[in-house]
Amino acid sequence: MITGSFPADIFQSIFEKSPGSLLVKGDIPRFTIIAASDSYLQITSRTRENIVGKGFFEEFPDNATKDDENAARKVFTRVVETGQKIEVPVYRFDVLSNNTGKYEPRYWSCCNTPIADGGNRVAYILNTVVDITEEVMAKEAAIENENRLRLAAEAAAFGTWELNIQTQVFNYSPRLAEIFGHPAGTSLGLLDVRAQIYADDMEHIVVDAYLKALKTGKYLYEVRINWPDNSLRWIKVQGVLVYDEKKMPLMLLGTILDTTESKRDEIRKNDFIAMVSHELKTPLTSIKAYLQLLSRKLEPSNDKFINNALHIANMQVNRMTDLIHGFLDLSKLEPGKLKLNLQVFDLNKLIEEMIGETTLISPNHKISFKPGEYLTVSADREKIGQVITNFLSNAIKYSNKGSEIIVSCQQQAGGVQVAVKDEGFGIKPKDQEKLFQRFYRVESSRMKNISGFGIGLYLASEIIQRHKGKIWVESAEDMGSTFYFSLPLHNK
Ligand code: ADP
């Protein structure tokens, strides 16, 4: 409660310049208006002479509803009776616009402060109002946007979720519970949800995705979950990381989608490819063996046509064998299917072996490699060999005969980095981003005559990622390419 006295003239001029203030007498129920500030008069389109001396509710019943009026009367009465300050955080009072001549909705927040006379009796109420229309409108727009977003997400059968990383508070839309096999809106904690994710996927996929999100800001994974009826379902989770003002990770938020149907289709397709590839392996091995026998038998005849035909047949059989192995590998990439057979070995030695094999098949390129120090990694030797061979065979495929390929293997901070550099056609930036996707091939007239299926680099990137390594390319069109991968160094 404000008490004490002010020099009347000073008080008056301060008051009249103050933003949105009105002084009324505590004479229940009339509440006679004693003074009004300039801005208050402007807001209410009144003049001082018109309102001073009148009862508040005689003057301001215009566009207020009866309920609003009663509520305001109650507030004034309570201020006088209790001597307590009462705030009204938001109310609507429409204002006559000078431009349109019509009432326009505006929102206000007001505070009613009791002012005592010499004793304890409330003699006046100081009513100060603040225009909060902008804030209210912004909040309404935000709510509307959120609702719109939620409707769109629901139409797409998405669930939405947010996780506060610091407090671990987890909020989600009702659809999320359905995706996990519960009635919509069931209350689930973060631990309940995590417990339904396959342990293997949780350990290898979710944890990796989280660590990646901390680095890149983007969260993405697809994993298997167990429904309460014990059936297997697939979910795809996508999100972004939000930082606080100190740039610390604050929230993860995003969407969740049930991808079981499309995943089942994909698995059926993969199983089919695996089955066909497997069936083709046996006759192909036998064709290859017979071709070799034929070659050996017919070579001494020196018949140019026969030798040429056998050479081409051999090449085609090799291509087909590569393709079939590629498809078989592809079908093993389902989570839980690609098992790494870890062993500790020297990477330099493996690179030398792979270069040896490649040179035998493609003797027309010069491959140089200077093995450096002994660098041991703990990895799947065969699969890393496959990645190196893929880099080498691409470097050969996508460059001119006689050009040079340089291989290097170096120790970097905490890891080993292998690079295969060619002087070939190079790759445009827009293609570089997509090379590691399944079935992606660069479309250009030059590439048309080079066979391939766009699975080699996809397989390589899956293999390297499972080893917690990195794979990337640096290239420019017509300037050659360098493909890299890195692996964590084995600590002895
Ligand atoms: P494939 O060679 O069977 O098409 P990959 O997955 O190994 O499949 O490669 C995908 C695509 O990346 C290739 O089709 C090619 O366009 C491009 N590419 C790969 N390596 C190189 C390279 N060294 N130089 C230029 N382009 C390359």
Side-chain angles (χ1 to χ4, degrees), residues 24-91:
V24 297
K25 244 179 156 173
D27 51 346
I28 303 169
R30 187 162 190 265
F31 301 105
T32 312
I33 298 169
I34 304 292
S37 71
D38 295 347
S39 61
Y40 196 98
L41 296 169
Q42 204 183 354
I43 294 164
T44 54
S45 313
R46 303 292 202 280
T47 61
R48 196 160 277 124
E49 300 72 48
N50 275 347
I51 62 168
V52 170
K54 294 220 174 113
F56 182 86
F57 295 99
E58 287 161 33
E59 192 45 44
F60 293 107
D62 44 1
N63 52 22
T65 64
K66 251 300 152 274
D67 285 349
D68 287 347
E69 196 184 315
N70 286 340
R73 202 186 296 275
K74 260 192 202 149
V75 169
F76 278 6
T77 310
R78 278 240 320 273
V79 174
V80 176
E81 287 175 354
T82 63
Q84 300 286 319
K85 177 163 96 181
I86 297 181
E87 287 177 26
V88 183
V90 53
Y91 66 95

XYZ file of all heavy atoms in Angstrom, residues 24-91:
542
model
N -8.928 6.300 -9.100
C -10.345 6.368 -8.733
C -10.465 6.401 -7.214
O -9.569 5.935 -6.505
C -11.164 5.172 -9.301
C -11.167 5.151 -10.802
C -10.692 3.853 -8.729
N -11.571 6.933 -6.752
C -11.820 6.998 -5.320
C -12.257 5.622 -4.818
O -12.785 4.824 -5.585
C -12.964 7.987 -5.056
C -12.563 9.199 -4.260
C -13.769 10.054 -4.110
C -13.639 10.933 -2.895
N -14.737 11.875 -2.856
N -12.044 5.360 -3.552
C -12.464 4.065 -2.992
C -13.930 4.061 -2.589
O -14.307 3.316 -1.682
N -14.789 4.881 -3.217
C -16.197 4.984 -2.810
C -17.047 3.904 -3.475
O -17.664 4.129 -4.511
C -16.758 6.395 -3.137
C -16.492 6.778 -4.584
O -15.649 6.098 -5.251
O -17.107 7.731 -5.074
N -17.038 2.720 -2.845
C -17.845 1.595 -3.355
C -19.307 2.035 -3.400
O -19.772 2.631 -2.422
C -17.713 0.383 -2.407
C -16.232 -0.011 -2.248
C -18.536 -0.802 -2.893
C -15.955 -1.015 -1.149
N -20.098 1.815 -4.416
C -19.785 1.140 -5.666
C -19.537 2.105 -6.811
O -19.464 1.675 -7.945
C -21.057 0.349 -5.919
C -22.137 1.257 -5.427
C -21.564 2.040 -4.278
N -19.405 3.412 -6.500
C -19.336 4.369 -7.612
C -17.934 4.433 -8.230
O -17.764 4.534 -9.410
C -19.760 5.763 -7.119
C -19.880 6.754 -8.263
C -20.685 7.976 -7.876
N -20.971 8.772 -9.033
C -20.247 9.818 -9.422
N -19.209 10.204 -8.706
N -20.570 10.490 -10.503
N -16.903 4.401 -7.378
C -15.509 4.521 -7.803
C -15.310 5.747 -8.700
O -15.054 5.634 -9.915
C -15.041 3.240 -8.517
C -15.147 2.011 -7.644
C -16.164 1.075 -7.839
C -14.239 1.818 -6.590
C -16.271 -0.038 -7.027
C -14.353 0.689 -5.784
C -15.356 -0.239 -5.986
N -15.444 6.925 -8.073
C -15.376 8.194 -8.814
C -13.984 8.414 -9.392
O -12.982 8.227 -8.697
C -15.721 9.367 -7.865
O -16.909 9.008 -7.171
C -15.892 10.664 -8.605
N -13.931 8.795 -10.654
C -12.638 9.038 -11.316
C -12.087 10.380 -10.848
O -12.757 11.415 -10.942
C -12.804 9.030 -12.847
C -13.309 7.648 -13.301
C -11.511 9.403 -13.549
C -13.757 7.566 -14.732
N -10.822 10.335 -10.328
C -10.194 11.549 -9.802
C -9.234 12.130 -10.818
O -9.185 13.338 -11.013
C -9.393 11.223 -8.506
C -10.296 10.572 -7.465
C -8.685 12.443 -7.944
C -11.351 11.509 -6.911
N -8.446 11.265 -11.460
C -7.457 11.752 -12.429
C -7.169 10.666 -13.448
O -7.329 9.485 -13.157
C -6.169 12.128 -11.699
N -6.730 11.111 -14.623
C -6.368 10.143 -15.674
C -5.144 10.665 -16.397
O -5.016 11.883 -16.604
C -7.524 9.978 -16.649
N -4.212 9.763 -16.746
C -3.014 10.219 -17.462
C -3.356 10.432 -18.933
O -4.362 9.909 -19.432
C -1.890 9.194 -17.334
O -2.209 8.051 -18.085
N -2.471 11.177 -19.635
C -2.723 11.487 -21.053
C -2.895 10.205 -21.866
O -3.777 10.091 -22.713
C -1.550 12.286 -21.636
C -1.434 13.648 -20.964
O -2.395 14.036 -20.262
O -0.383 14.302 -21.117
N -1.968 9.229 -21.585
C -2.019 8.012 -22.409
C -3.295 7.230 -22.142
O -3.848 6.602 -23.043
C -0.789 7.154 -22.171
O -0.754 6.772 -20.829
N -3.789 7.273 -20.892
C -5.044 6.567 -20.575
C -6.188 7.180 -21.382
O -7.040 6.475 -21.935
C -5.327 6.670 -19.077
C -6.361 5.673 -18.591
C -5.971 4.481 -17.987
C -7.727 5.922 -18.734
C -6.913 3.560 -17.552
C -8.676 5.008 -18.302
C -8.262 3.827 -17.703
O -9.186 2.912 -17.272
N -6.176 8.508 -21.469
C -7.241 9.193 -22.219
C -7.179 8.833 -23.693
O -8.193 8.619 -24.349
C -7.109 10.711 -22.037
C -7.319 11.197 -20.595
C -6.895 12.656 -20.453
C -8.792 11.036 -20.186
N -5.912 8.729 -24.159
C -5.741 8.402 -25.574
C -6.250 6.996 -25.875
O -6.977 6.778 -26.854
C -4.262 8.500 -25.918
C -4.050 8.746 -27.389
C -2.567 8.774 -27.702
O -1.715 8.712 -26.810
N -2.272 8.873 -28.960
N -5.886 6.048 -25.016
C -6.311 4.655 -25.210
C -7.831 4.565 -25.252
O -8.420 3.867 -26.069
C -5.804 3.764 -24.044
C -4.286 3.661 -24.037
C -6.428 2.380 -24.096
C -3.720 3.122 -22.716
N -8.480 5.312 -24.336
C -9.933 5.149 -24.186
C -10.730 6.170 -25.002
O -11.955 6.219 -24.908
C -10.318 5.282 -22.704
O -9.788 6.520 -22.215
C -9.760 4.149 -21.874
N -9.998 6.970 -25.800
C -10.628 8.018 -26.630
C -11.537 8.925 -25.786
O -12.694 9.167 -26.164
C -11.455 7.411 -27.768
O -10.767 6.420 -28.432
N -11.056 9.392 -24.651
C -11.829 10.298 -23.783
C -11.057 11.607 -23.601
O -9.872 11.677 -23.916
C -12.060 9.683 -22.393
C -12.761 8.333 -22.386
C -14.219 8.481 -22.839
N -15.063 7.404 -22.386
C -15.138 6.204 -22.969
N -14.395 5.905 -24.007
N -15.969 5.296 -22.502
N -11.749 12.610 -23.055
C -11.025 13.813 -22.636
C -11.120 13.883 -21.126
O -12.032 13.304 -20.515
C -11.649 15.097 -23.237
O -12.991 15.175 -22.762
C -11.609 15.081 -24.747
N -10.158 14.614 -20.533
C -10.094 14.679 -19.069
C -11.404 15.264 -18.507
O -11.986 14.725 -17.572
C -8.887 15.527 -18.668
C -8.488 15.370 -17.231
C -7.054 15.823 -16.989
N -6.071 14.813 -17.317
C -5.068 14.978 -18.164
N -4.907 16.126 -18.795
N -4.224 14.014 -18.390
N -11.870 16.358 -19.169
C -13.080 17.027 -18.688
C -14.281 16.079 -18.691
O -15.161 16.157 -17.835
C -13.442 18.250 -19.562
C -12.404 19.346 -19.634
C -11.198 18.930 -20.455
O -11.366 18.405 -21.574
O -10.062 19.109 -19.942
N -14.294 15.163 -19.701
C -15.431 14.256 -19.838
C -15.547 13.240 -18.720
O -16.640 12.818 -18.374
C -15.343 13.469 -21.150
C -15.927 14.263 -22.287
O -16.602 15.262 -22.037
N -15.654 13.852 -23.501
N -14.386 12.792 -18.220
C -14.491 11.661 -17.300
C -14.221 11.986 -15.835
O -14.739 11.317 -14.950
C -13.612 10.464 -17.734
C -12.127 10.841 -17.755
C -14.042 9.889 -19.065
C -11.237 9.606 -17.888
N -13.382 12.977 -15.571
C -13.056 13.265 -14.171
C -14.328 13.690 -13.436
O -15.107 14.502 -13.944
C -11.959 14.340 -14.068
C -11.790 14.816 -12.623
C -10.638 13.791 -14.590
N -14.546 13.061 -12.272
C -15.748 13.360 -11.485
C -16.859 12.359 -11.732
O -17.816 12.281 -10.973
N -16.721 11.539 -12.809
C -17.775 10.556 -13.083
C -17.439 9.233 -12.399
O -16.275 8.932 -12.112
C -17.879 10.300 -14.591
C -18.348 11.484 -15.385
C -19.308 11.038 -16.485
C -19.893 12.243 -17.173
N -19.423 12.345 -18.559
N -18.464 8.390 -12.193
C -18.239 7.052 -11.645
C -17.586 6.182 -12.725
O -17.913 6.329 -13.910
N -16.609 5.295 -12.308
C -15.874 4.487 -13.291
C -16.821 3.671 -14.158
O -16.692 3.620 -15.382
C -14.884 3.552 -12.571
C -14.060 2.716 -13.497
C -12.880 3.210 -14.040
C -14.457 1.427 -13.853
C -12.122 2.442 -14.912
C -13.706 0.653 -14.721
C -12.531 1.168 -15.247
N -17.835 3.058 -13.522
C -18.703 2.158 -14.286
C -19.808 2.884 -15.039
O -20.480 2.293 -15.881
C -19.251 1.037 -13.380
C -18.139 0.147 -12.905
C -17.578 0.306 -11.640
C -17.608 -0.809 -13.756
C -16.532 -0.484 -11.226
C -16.551 -1.605 -13.350
C -16.006 -1.442 -12.074
N -19.951 4.201 -14.732
C -20.864 5.006 -15.566
C -20.158 5.292 -16.886
O -20.761 5.388 -17.941
C -21.135 6.379 -14.924
C -22.042 6.370 -13.716
C -21.854 7.669 -12.913
O -21.584 8.738 -13.508
O -21.941 7.583 -11.667
N -18.852 5.444 -16.807
C -18.107 5.918 -17.966
C -17.614 4.784 -18.871
O -17.444 4.941 -20.052
C -16.930 6.767 -17.465
C -16.223 7.577 -18.520
C -17.152 8.320 -19.474
O -18.139 8.919 -19.002
O -16.896 8.288 -20.696
N -17.331 3.610 -18.229
C -16.738 2.538 -19.043
C -17.594 1.273 -19.151
O -17.101 0.188 -18.994
C -15.353 2.167 -18.497
C -14.362 3.274 -18.677
C -13.930 4.023 -17.601
C -13.890 3.573 -19.947
C -13.025 5.056 -17.789
C -12.980 4.611 -20.133
C -12.545 5.365 -19.043
N -18.861 1.418 -19.429
C -19.594 0.174 -19.661
C -19.628 -0.135 -21.155
O -20.119 -1.163 -21.555
C -20.996 0.524 -19.174
C -21.120 1.986 -19.474
C -19.758 2.579 -19.530
N -19.072 0.819 -21.987
C -19.372 0.798 -23.429
C -19.233 -0.555 -24.107
O -20.205 -1.204 -24.423
C -18.602 1.883 -24.188
C -17.161 1.986 -23.761
O -16.757 1.206 -22.884
O -16.444 2.830 -24.313
N -17.967 -1.018 -24.324
C -17.881 -2.281 -25.049
C -17.542 -3.463 -24.143
O -17.159 -4.517 -24.609
C -16.895 -2.170 -26.219
C -15.577 -1.637 -25.718
O -15.298 -1.761 -24.526
N -14.800 -1.043 -26.591
N -17.665 -3.266 -22.825
C -17.396 -4.391 -21.918
C -18.675 -5.199 -21.739
O -19.768 -4.648 -21.756
C -16.935 -3.857 -20.571
N -18.530 -6.519 -21.582
C -19.725 -7.332 -21.338
C -20.112 -7.148 -19.872
O -19.315 -6.650 -19.074
C -19.429 -8.831 -21.576
O -18.459 -9.224 -20.610
C -18.908 -9.093 -22.972
N -21.314 -7.605 -19.521
C -21.777 -7.482 -18.135
C -20.837 -8.268 -17.207
O -20.515 -7.813 -16.100
C -23.205 -8.041 -18.015
C -24.356 -7.091 -17.787
C -24.447 -6.236 -16.658
C -25.011 -4.977 -16.301
N -24.342 -3.757 -16.514
N -20.409 -9.435 -17.700
C -19.504 -10.263 -16.898
C -18.194 -9.545 -16.617
O -17.689 -9.536 -15.497
C -19.190 -11.583 -17.616
C -20.363 -12.539 -17.539
O -21.298 -12.244 -16.760
O -20.330 -13.551 -18.256
N -17.647 -8.917 -17.682
C -16.380 -8.179 -17.519
C -16.563 -7.071 -16.493
O -15.721 -6.838 -15.631
C -15.958 -7.520 -18.847
C -15.452 -8.547 -19.844
O -15.200 -9.687 -19.420
O -15.342 -8.196 -21.035
N -17.714 -6.388 -16.634
C -17.970 -5.249 -15.752
C -18.065 -5.722 -14.301
O -17.449 -5.126 -13.408
C -19.279 -4.584 -16.191
C -19.442 -3.193 -15.620
C -20.793 -2.597 -15.982
O -21.202 -2.705 -17.149
O -21.423 -2.030 -15.066
N -18.781 -6.836 -14.100
C -18.920 -7.371 -12.740
C -17.579 -7.793 -12.184
O -17.282 -7.572 -11.005
C -19.880 -8.568 -12.729
C -21.320 -8.094 -12.893
O -21.615 -6.915 -12.632
N -22.199 -8.974 -13.338
N -16.758 -8.394 -13.059
C -15.439 -8.855 -12.605
C -14.604 -7.660 -12.166
O -13.961 -7.688 -11.104
C -14.742 -9.620 -13.721
N -14.639 -6.575 -12.965
C -13.852 -5.379 -12.634
C -14.367 -4.757 -11.335
O -13.576 -4.333 -10.465
C -13.935 -4.373 -13.780
N -15.700 -4.728 -11.177
C -16.297 -4.145 -9.965
C -15.832 -4.943 -8.737
O -15.483 -4.366 -7.707
C -17.828 -4.183 -10.080
C -18.534 -3.160 -9.193
C -20.030 -3.345 -9.229
N -20.631 -3.114 -10.545
C -20.977 -1.898 -10.994
N -20.774 -0.828 -10.259
N -21.537 -1.757 -12.163
N -15.781 -6.281 -8.906
C -15.349 -7.137 -7.793
C -13.910 -6.832 -7.411
O -13.555 -6.762 -6.229
C -15.445 -8.621 -8.210
C -16.684 -9.298 -7.680
C -16.573 -10.791 -7.879
C -17.966 -11.383 -7.873
N -18.086 -12.551 -8.698
N -13.066 -6.671 -8.442
C -11.642 -6.402 -8.179
C -11.499 -5.095 -7.406
O -10.830 -5.033 -6.367
C -10.840 -6.346 -9.507
C -9.435 -5.808 -9.275
C -10.774 -7.728 -10.141
N -12.146 -4.019 -7.890
C -12.061 -2.711 -7.212
C -12.535 -2.835 -5.765
O -11.914 -2.321 -4.837
C -12.920 -1.675 -7.946
C -12.234 -1.055 -9.162
C -10.998 -1.521 -9.589
C -12.828 -0.002 -9.857
C -10.377 -0.956 -10.695
C -12.201 0.573 -10.960
C -10.985 0.089 -11.380
N -13.680 -3.529 -5.592
C -14.256 -3.652 -4.258
C -13.286 -4.377 -3.323
O -13.056 -3.965 -2.183
C -15.608 -4.406 -4.328
O -16.391 -3.789 -5.340
C -16.356 -4.372 -3.009
N -12.678 -5.463 -3.838
C -11.750 -6.242 -3.010
C -10.532 -5.421 -2.616
O -10.041 -5.502 -1.489
C -11.287 -7.512 -3.752
C -12.268 -8.658 -3.659
C -11.724 -9.940 -3.000
N -10.367 -10.304 -3.342
C -10.022 -11.043 -4.401
N -10.957 -11.423 -5.264
N -8.779 -11.369 -4.585
N -10.036 -4.595 -3.568
C -8.858 -3.757 -3.262
C -9.186 -2.838 -2.082
O -8.407 -2.714 -1.133
C -8.423 -2.936 -4.490
C -7.300 -1.963 -4.129
C -7.969 -3.843 -5.618
N -10.399 -2.252 -2.149
C -10.785 -1.323 -1.070
C -10.978 -2.086 0.252
O -10.493 -1.666 1.293
C -12.068 -0.556 -1.451
C -12.541 0.339 -0.288
C -11.832 0.305 -2.686
N -11.644 -3.226 0.159
C -11.966 -3.959 1.389
C -10.752 -4.614 2.041
O -10.641 -4.688 3.254
C -13.032 -5.019 1.096
C -14.400 -4.373 0.886
C -15.465 -5.387 0.474
O -15.126 -6.557 0.242
O -16.633 -4.975 0.357
N -9.826 -5.112 1.205
C -8.697 -5.852 1.797
C -7.429 -5.025 1.908
O -6.499 -5.397 2.609
C -8.346 -7.089 0.936
O -7.930 -6.601 -0.348
C -9.517 -8.027 0.776
N -7.338 -3.938 1.121
C -6.108 -3.148 1.121
C -4.981 -3.860 0.378
O -3.819 -3.494 0.484
N -5.334 -4.913 -0.390
C -4.318 -5.662 -1.135
C -4.258 -5.187 -2.582
O -5.285 -4.855 -3.168
C -4.698 -7.162 -1.180
C -4.807 -7.839 0.157
C -3.435 -8.075 0.769
O -2.518 -8.447 0.077
N -3.300 -7.821 2.055
N -3.041 -5.241 -3.124
C -2.871 -4.925 -4.557
C -3.382 -6.115 -5.376
O -3.090 -7.261 -5.049
C -1.386 -4.705 -4.807
C -1.018 -4.440 -6.223
C 0.370 -3.847 -6.311
C 1.382 -4.961 -6.581
N 2.745 -4.437 -6.659
N -4.165 -5.854 -6.406
C -4.655 -6.972 -7.238
C -4.274 -6.743 -8.693
O -4.547 -5.683 -9.258
C -6.182 -7.144 -7.115
C -6.549 -7.501 -5.661
C -6.694 -8.219 -8.076
C -8.022 -7.727 -5.430
N -3.619 -7.777 -9.282
C -3.220 -7.671 -10.694
C -4.165 -8.498 -11.558
O -4.609 -9.558 -11.146
C -1.801 -8.206 -10.882
C -0.763 -7.256 -10.310
C 0.647 -7.783 -10.419
O 0.899 -8.584 -11.326
O 1.475 -7.372 -9.587
N -4.477 -7.980 -12.728
C -5.253 -8.770 -13.696
C -4.309 -8.978 -14.872
O -4.026 -8.045 -15.623
C -6.541 -8.015 -14.133
C -7.360 -8.881 -15.088
C -7.354 -7.612 -12.916
N -3.766 -10.204 -15.018
C -2.675 -10.414 -15.978
C -3.066 -10.168 -17.426
O -2.269 -9.690 -18.202
C -2.268 -11.873 -15.774
C -3.119 -12.418 -14.698
C -4.118 -11.407 -14.270
N -4.303 -10.532 -17.794
C -4.698 -10.256 -19.178
C -6.220 -10.114 -19.278
O -6.968 -10.882 -18.686
C -4.165 -11.347 -20.149
C -4.549 -12.732 -19.728
C -4.660 -11.114 -21.577
N -6.651 -9.049 -19.975
C -8.078 -8.912 -20.287
C -8.201 -8.154 -21.596
O -7.254 -7.511 -22.063
C -8.838 -8.216 -19.149
C -8.458 -6.786 -18.922
C -9.183 -5.741 -19.497
C -7.379 -6.457 -18.121
C -8.838 -4.417 -19.291
C -7.016 -5.131 -17.908
C -7.734 -4.119 -18.487
O -7.373 -2.827 -18.282
